C-alpha cells in the first residue's frame, strides 16, 4: 500500500489535468446587444495562447467571423462584434482543438435603448414625482433586456430591484457619496440645533438685507468652494438655506444658484477634482495619435478659452441674482415665495419639509456663529487637505498643485472631511454645555433623516444609469448623431452629443469617459485630412471643451442626474420643481453659448468675440423678458425674526 499511494496520486493528478485540458469552452453573450452597434462577447476555458474563432450565423449561413487571442487565464474577448438582425442570433465559438460551443445572443433595435431614461424623464416631469418615474424607467429597461413578454416583465421588475438597485448600492463610490452626504446632514443638524446656523445667517443678513443681495452672497459662496462640486453643493446649500428662507428667496432659486455654480466652477478652475479626471482621459486619448506633442493639461488650459457654457452659466447666475429679474417657472416661484409672510407659509417649503424633520434651535442656548463657522471651516479645510494628501500619495515625486489635485481621491477626502466636520460640531456643543452627548446624537440623527428621502432618489438614479449602460444607450446616441460633419461644426456637434448623453444617462463624468476616447482621435483625423492639422488646433481645444461643457449642460437639465439630486437635497427643494425651474435658464445659456460662442469659434472667429457676444446676449435676454419678483413693503430686514427652517 505504501508504494501504491504515490502511483495513485500521480494517476489522479494526471486525470484531473487531462479533464481540465479537455474542458469544454464556454461563451458569455452580452446581456443584450443592439442592431448595428458594436458589442463585446467573452469566451472562457480556452487554451492560453491559442486563437479562438467566433461565428455569427443565421439559418446556417455564416454572416460574420471574428478571431481573438486567448490570454493567460484562458479568456478571449471579442470586441466590436456587430449584429444586424433583431431577435435570437446564433453564435458559435470554436477553438484550435476542434471543440465548439453554441450560444444565443438576444438583439434588440437600438432605439429601445433610449426609452428607459426617456420614460423616466417624461414621467417625472408629467406627474411631478421622481420616485415612480425612476422605478418605471428601471423596470422598462430591465424588461427590454429579458424580453417584452409576461415573464420578461416579471423578471424585469425583480431584476430592477435585486440586480440594479443592489448593484448601485454595492458600488464603493456610490455608498461613499451616501455616507458623506448623510454625515454632512448630521453636522448641519447639530449646528442648527445649537443655534450656529441661525447666528451665521444673521451675520450674513447684516450685509445681505434683501433678496437680491442674499442671492449674490450665495453665488459668491459657491465660487469660494471651487475645488469639488459635491462639497460645494452640500456645504453652500445647507448653509444658505436658512438665509434664503429668511429673505424669502424661493427654494427653487436657491437650488438653481447652488447647482449652476458648483459644477461649472469645478470644471473650469485650474485645480479641481473634475480637472484631474478630464486631464487623465485626454492624456490617454492623446497617446493614440501621432504628430501631436502637447500634454493633456496643456490641452485643457487651451480648451478653457472655448468653455463658453460653464463661464456663461456662472455669469448668468450672477446676472439673475443681481438684477432681481426672473422669467418662466422661476419667476412664478419667486413671486410665490415673496408673497409668503414667512418661509413656513411658502407651499414649496412646506412640501419639501414633508420629507424631512424641521430642525429648530434648542430653547435657551446662546446663538454663536462660531459654532457653525468652525465645523464648516474644518469640513472645507479637511477636504482640501485630504485632496492634497491623497494626491501626493499617488505621485512618485514633487508636482504642482493642479497635478496633485488631479491625482487625488475625492471620495476618500470627502469621507474624512464630513466625519471631522460632524465631530467638531459635536465637540463644540458638548464642551460649551449647549447640549449633552445624547442630545447631539439626536440632533445628528435628525439631520441624517433629512437626507434619507433624496438618497433613495439618488440610488434609483444610479440604478437607471446602470440599466442604460447595459443597454448601450450612450453608444447608440453616438451612432445616430454620426461623425460626418464639417470640421468647423464638429465642436458644436460634440456639445450636443455630450448634452444628450449626459441628459439621458444622468452622469457628466460618465459622458466624458465615454466620449473623450472617441472624439480626440476623430477630431485629429479630420484635422489631418485638411493637410495642415495644427492650423486647426483650436478645433481640438474647442471639441474637448465642448465635451465637458455639454456634459455639465445635460447634467443641469436632467432630473436623473446625481448632482441635480444633491442640489435638491442640500437646498431642501422639491426635486422636480428644481429641474422644472432650472431648465429654461440652462437652455438659454446653452443656446447662447453654442450659437454665439462655439459655432463662430469653430469657423476661426476669435474666442473673445463669442464671449463678448454671449455676455451681451444674456444681459439683453434678462432685460427684455425678465421681470422683477413682486416684493412686499414689509420685506424682512436684519431685525425681523428668523423663520423656522
Amino acid at each position: 500500500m505504501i508504494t501504491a499511494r504515490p502511483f495513485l496520486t500521480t494517476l489522479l493528478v494526471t486525470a484531473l489535468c487531462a479533464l481540465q485540458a479537455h474542458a469544454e469552452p464556454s461563451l458569455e453573450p452580452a446581456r443584450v446587444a443592439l442592431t448595428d452597434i458594436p458589442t463585446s462577447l467573452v469566451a472562457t476555458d480556452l487554451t492560453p495562447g491559442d486563437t479562438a474563432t467566433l461565428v455569427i450565423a443565421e439559418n446556417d449561413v455564416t454572416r460574420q467571423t471574428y478571431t481573438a487571442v486567448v490570454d493567460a487565464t484562458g479568456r478571449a474577448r471579442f470586441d466590436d462584434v456587430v449584429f444586424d438582425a433583431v431577435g435570437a442570433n446564433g453564435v458559435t465559438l470554436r477553438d484550435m482543438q476542434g471543440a465548439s460551443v453554441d450560444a444565443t445572443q438576444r438583439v434588440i433595435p437600438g432605439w429601445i435603448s433610449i426609452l428607459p431614461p426617456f420614460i423616466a424623464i417624461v414621467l417625472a416631469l408629467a406627474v411631478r414625482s421622481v420616485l415612480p418615474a425612476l422605478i418605471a424607467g428601471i423596470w422598462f429597461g430591465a424588461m427590454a433586456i429579458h424580453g417584452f413578454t409576461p415573464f420578461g416583465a416579471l423578471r424585469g421588475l425583480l431584476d430592477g430591484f435585486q440586480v440594479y438597485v443592489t448593484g448601485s448600492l454595492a458600488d464603493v463610490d456610490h455608498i461613499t457619496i451616501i455616507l458623506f452626504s448623510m454625515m454632512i446632514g448630521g453636522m448641519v443638524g447639530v449646528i442648527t440645533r445649537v443655534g450656529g446656523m441661525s447666528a451665521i445667517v444673521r451675520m450674513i443678513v447684516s450685509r445681505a438685507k434683501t433678496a437680491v443681495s442674499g442671492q449674490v452672497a450665495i453665488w459668491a459662496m459657491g465660487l469660494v468652494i471651487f475645488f469639488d462640486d459635491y462639497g460645494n453643493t452640500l456645504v453652500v446649500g445647507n448653509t444658505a438655506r436658512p438665509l434664503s428662507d429668511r429673505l424669502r428667496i424661493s427654494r427653487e432659486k436657491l437650488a438653481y444658484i447652488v447647482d449652476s455654480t458648483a459644477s461649472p466652477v469645478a470644471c473650469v478652475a485650474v485645480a479641481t477634482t473634475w480637472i484631474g479626471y478630464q486631464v487623465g482621459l485626454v492624456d490617454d486619448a492623446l497617446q493614440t495619435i501621432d504628430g501631436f506633442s502637447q500634454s493633456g493639461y496643456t490641452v485643457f488650459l487651451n480648451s478653457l478659452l472655448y468653455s463658453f457654457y460653464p463661464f456663461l452659466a456662472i455669469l448668468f447666475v450672477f446676472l439673475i441674482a443681481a438684477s432681481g429679474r426672473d422669467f418662466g417657472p422661476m419667476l412664478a416661484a419667486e413671486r410665490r415665495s415673496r408673497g409668503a409672510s414667512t418661509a413656513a407659509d411658502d407651499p414649496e417649503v412646506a412640501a419639501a419639509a414633508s420629507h424631512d424633520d424641521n430642525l429648530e434651535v434648542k430653547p435657551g442656548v446662546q446663538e454663536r456663529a462660531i459654532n457653525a463657522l468652525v465645523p464648516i471651516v474644518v469640513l472645507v479645510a479637511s477636504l482640501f487637505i485630504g485632496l492634497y494628501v491623497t494626491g501626493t500619495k499617488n505621485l512618485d515625486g514633487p508636482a504642482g498643485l493642479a497635478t496633485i489635485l488631479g491625482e487625488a481621491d475625492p471620495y476618500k477626502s470627502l469621507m474624512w472631511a464630513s466625519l471631522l466636520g460632524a465631530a467638531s460640531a459635536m465637540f463644540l456643543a458638548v464642551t460649551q454645555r449647549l447640549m449633552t452627548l445624547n442630545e447631539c446624537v439626536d440632533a445628528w440623527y435628525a439631520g441624517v433623516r433629512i437626507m434619507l428621502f433624496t438618497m433613495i432618489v439618488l440610488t434609483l438614479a444610479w440604478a437607471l444609469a446602470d440599466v442604460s449602460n447595459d443597454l448601450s444607450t450612450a453608444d447608440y446616441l453616438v451612432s445616430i448623431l454620426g461623425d460626418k460633419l464639417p470640421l468647423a461644426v464638429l465642436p458644436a456637434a460634440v456639445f450636443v452629443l455630450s448634452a444628450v448623453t449626459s441628459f439621458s444617462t444622468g452622469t457628466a463624468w460618465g459622458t466624458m469617459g465615454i466620449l473623450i476616447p472617441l472624439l480626440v482621435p476623430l477630431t485629429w483625423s479630420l484635422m489631418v485630412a485638411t493637410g495642415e492639422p495644427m492650423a486647426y488646433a483650436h478645433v481640438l481645444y474647442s471639441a474637448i471643451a465642448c465635451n465637458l461643457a455639454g456634459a455639465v449642460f445635460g447634467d443641469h437639465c436632467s432630473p436623473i442626474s446625481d448632482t441635480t439630486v444633491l442640489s435638491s437635497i442640500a437646498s431642501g427643494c422639491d426635486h422636480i420643481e428644481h429641474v422644472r425651474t432650472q431648465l429654461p435658464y440652462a437652455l438659454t445659456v446653452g443656446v447662447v453659448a453654442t450659437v454665439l460662442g462655439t459655432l463662430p469659434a469653430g469657423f476661426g472667429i476669435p474666442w473673445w468675440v463669442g464671449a463678448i457676444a454671449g455676455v451681451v446676449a444674456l444681459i439683453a435676454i434678462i432685460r427684455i423678458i425678465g421681470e422683477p419678483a413682486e416684493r412686499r413693503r414689509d420685506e424682512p430686514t436684519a431685525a425681523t425674526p428668523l423663520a423656522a427652517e
Side-chain angles (χ1 to χ4, degrees), residues 56-109:
I56 302 174
E58 184 178 17
N59 298 327
D60 297 326
V61 177
T62 300
R63 293 205 316 266
Q64 299 286 346
T65 301
Y66 301 87
T67 59
V69 177
V70 183
D71 64 18
T73 64
R75 291 166 55 90
R77 182 182 178 90
F78 298 90
D79 293 317
D80 299 326
V81 179
V82 177
F83 297 89
D84 54 20
V86 174
N89 282 243
V91 182
T92 301
L93 172 71
R94 298 170 183 165
D95 65 10
M96 296 180 65
Q97 281 69 42
S100 65
V101 60
D102 296 325
T104 300
Q105 174 65 66
R106 185 166 180 273
V107 182
I108 62 175

Side-chain angles (χ1 to χ4, degrees), residues 128 215 244 247-256 326-340 345-349 573-574 577-578 580-582 585 627-630:
R128 297 192 181 184
Q215 292 175 54
S244 66
L247 298 174
R248 289 204 296 274
I249 301 167
S250 67
R251 292 281 180 91
E252 293 96 331
K253 175 61 77 64
L254 173 61
Y256 163 67
D326 289 285
F327 58 87
M330 189 69 79
L331 178 61
E334 283 291 273
R335 286 179 171 172
R336 181 206 66 229
S337 185
R338 297 294 197 280
D345 294 331
D346 187 348
E348 157 61 18
V349 177
C573 177
D574 178 81
E577 287 303 303
H578 168 44
R580 193 173 69 89
T581 52
Q582 178 171 252
Y585 288 177
E627 299 180 31
E630 295 180 358

Side-chain angles (χ1 to χ4, degrees), residues 8 36 41 43 45-46 60 99 147 211 227 230 235-236 251 271 344 352 357 366 384 446 498 501 522 566 570 592:
L8 292 175
D36 301 321
L41 284 76
D45 297 326
L46 297 166
D60 297 326
F227 44 84
Y230 284 154
V235 172
V236 176
R251 292 281 180 91
D357 301 88
Q366 182 179 356
F384 187 81
S498 300
T501 304
L522 168 63
L566 284 176
V592 169

Side-chain angles (χ1 to χ4, degrees), residues 273-556:
T273 53
W274 279 60
I275 301 313
Y277 176 68
Q278 188 196 21
V279 168
L281 292 173
V282 173
D283 258 331
D284 291 341
L286 291 175
Q287 300 301 318
T288 65
I289 62 178
D290 297 323
F292 193 85
S293 58
Q294 295 180 9
S295 68
Y297 193 72
T298 301
V299 170
F300 160 71
L301 292 177
N302 287 320
S303 74
L304 286 179
L305 301 177
Y306 303 93
S307 298
F308 294 104
Y309 177 78
F311 283 114
L312 290 179
I314 296 170
L315 175 66
F316 195 65
V317 174
F318 172 77
L319 293 175
I320 287 289
S323 68
R325 291 173 172 266
D326 289 285
F327 58 87
M330 189 69 79
L331 178 61
E334 283 291 273
R335 286 179 171 172
R336 181 206 66 229
S337 185
R338 297 294 197 280
S341 59
T342 67
D345 294 331
D346 187 348
E348 157 61 18
V349 177
S354 66
H355 296 306
D356 58 40
D357 301 88
N358 284 328
L359 287 167
E360 298 180 354
V361 179
K362 180 183 176 181
V365 302
Q366 182 179 356
E367 297 179 4
R368 298 172 180 169
I370 194 170
N371 290 329
L373 288 173
V374 169
I376 292 173
V377 170
V378 169
L379 175 69
V380 175
S382 299
L383 174 57
F384 187 81
I385 294 172
L387 292 172
Y388 187 86
V389 170
T390 57
T392 304
K393 184 178 180 181
N394 292 331
L395 292 171
D396 295 330
L401 180 62
T403 303
I404 292 172
L405 293 183
E407 293 295 323
D409 185 339
Y411 298 108
K412 182 182 293 185
S413 304
L414 282 164
M415 287 285 285
W416 293 344
S418 62
L419 174 63
L420 294 176
S424 63
M426 288 188 177
F427 176 80
L428 288 173
V430 173
T431 55
Q432 296 178 70
R433 298 184 178 179
L434 300 176
M435 291 195 301
T436 65
L437 184 58
N438 286 336
E439 288 175 326
C440 284
V441 172
D442 290 340
W444 176 87
Y445 183 56
V448 170
R449 285 202 304 268
I450 293 176
M451 313 292 286
L452 182 60
F453 175 79
T454 325
M455 287 296 102
I456 296 173
V457 175
L458 191 58
T459 300
L460 293 177
W462 286 326
L464 182 59
D466 289 340
V467 171
S468 297
N469 182 61
D470 281 349
L471 288 173
S472 303
T473 302
D475 294 334
Y476 177 70
L477 290 172
V478 172
S479 70
I480 61 175
L481 291 178
D483 55 13
K484 297 180 180 179
L485 292 169
L487 181 60
V489 182
L490 181 63
V494 169
F495 181 86
V496 174
L497 175 60
S498 300
V500 173
T501 304
S502 181
F503 181 83
S504 302
T505 60
T507 167
W509 282 37
T511 298
M512 290 186 284
I514 292 167
L515 296 183
I516 284 288
L518 300 177
L519 74 89
V520 170
L522 168 63
T523 305
W524 179 253
S525 65
L526 294 178
M527 291 164 59
V528 170
T530 66
E532 299 182 32
M534 292 310 297
Y536 296 90
H538 65 280
V539 177
L540 178 62
Y541 302 146
S542 184
I544 291 173
C546 285
N547 171 247
L548 182 56
V552 173
F553 169 68
D555 203 59
H556 282 164

Side-chain angles (χ1 to χ4, degrees), residues 169-183:
L169 288 175
D171 185 282
V172 174
D173 291 343
H174 290 174
I175 199 64
T176 299
I177 292 172
I178 290 175
L179 289 175
F180 75 65
S181 297
M182 288 188 167
M183 189 64 73

